[in-house]
Amino acid sequence: MTTETIVAGAATAPLSVEWDADHAVTELYREHYRPLVRLAALLVRDHATAEEVVQDAFVAMHGAWRRLRDPNKALSYLRQAVVNKARSVLRHRAVVEKHAPKALPDAPSAEHGAMNLLEREAVIRALRKLPTRQREAIVLRYYGDLSEAQIADAMGISKGAVKSHTSRGISALRSVLEQTT
């Protein structure tokens, strides 16, 4: 007793109902493995996983061959198994992605933090050595982020004096910091 399986409008070799599971699965594998992998790859969007899905479907069909009511519908069984296993993979991925730990933002190393602290301390020590007006002008400009006009208003001096104090203060800071490094 033989029957013909139709795949996408093309007839394939007849499949013997009398075949044992090994022979039948081998023939189905030889003829339909690649199209089933393409089907699974379209569903799971990953070729390696698609191959696993198809392999699992073939293994399951081999184990259930004796329980298969109509061996002539083995290809249909395989297709349905591939679709079901692909759905299972996608559900599993969704659960894994949902419960995956959130990536921590990149944090600077402890060494980087220590170096920044040392640099800040050196700048603060150098600022303390400056005359009051120069220190005020630099702090308001670079730490307070104020414009020259705002600094002039805050200090009660002209914009020209702000420029002068800032320039002299930066020169003094540079020389003090160069000496410490």
Side-chain angles (χ1 to χ4, degrees), residues 9 18 20 34 77 90 93 119 143 151-153 169 171 174:
E18 307 301 325
D20 66 340
R34 286 190 178 144
Y77 172 86
L90 293 174
R93 277 186 193 164
E119 289 172 3
Y143 288 94
I151 295 169
D153 287 341
S171 293
R174 184 175 294 123

Side-chain angles (χ1 to χ4, degrees), residues 87-100:
R87 286 179 186 152
S88 178
V89 165
L90 293 174
R91 278 192 302 270
H92 178 73
R93 277 186 193 164
V95 169
V96 167
E97 288 172 8
K98 180 180 178 184
H99 296 292

Side-chain angles (χ1 to χ4, degrees), residues 3 23 27-28 30 33-34 38 46 71 73 84-85 116 128 131 138 159 166 168:
T3 187
H23 189 66
E27 284 300 311
L28 284 167
R30 185 178 55 77
Y33 175 76
R34 286 190 178 144
R38 283 192 299 268
D46 173 20
K73 294 185 179 177
N84 288 339
K85 289 179 186 302
N116 281 345
R128 288 183 182 142
I138 289 175
K159 285 180 17 179
T166 305
R168 287 183 194 140

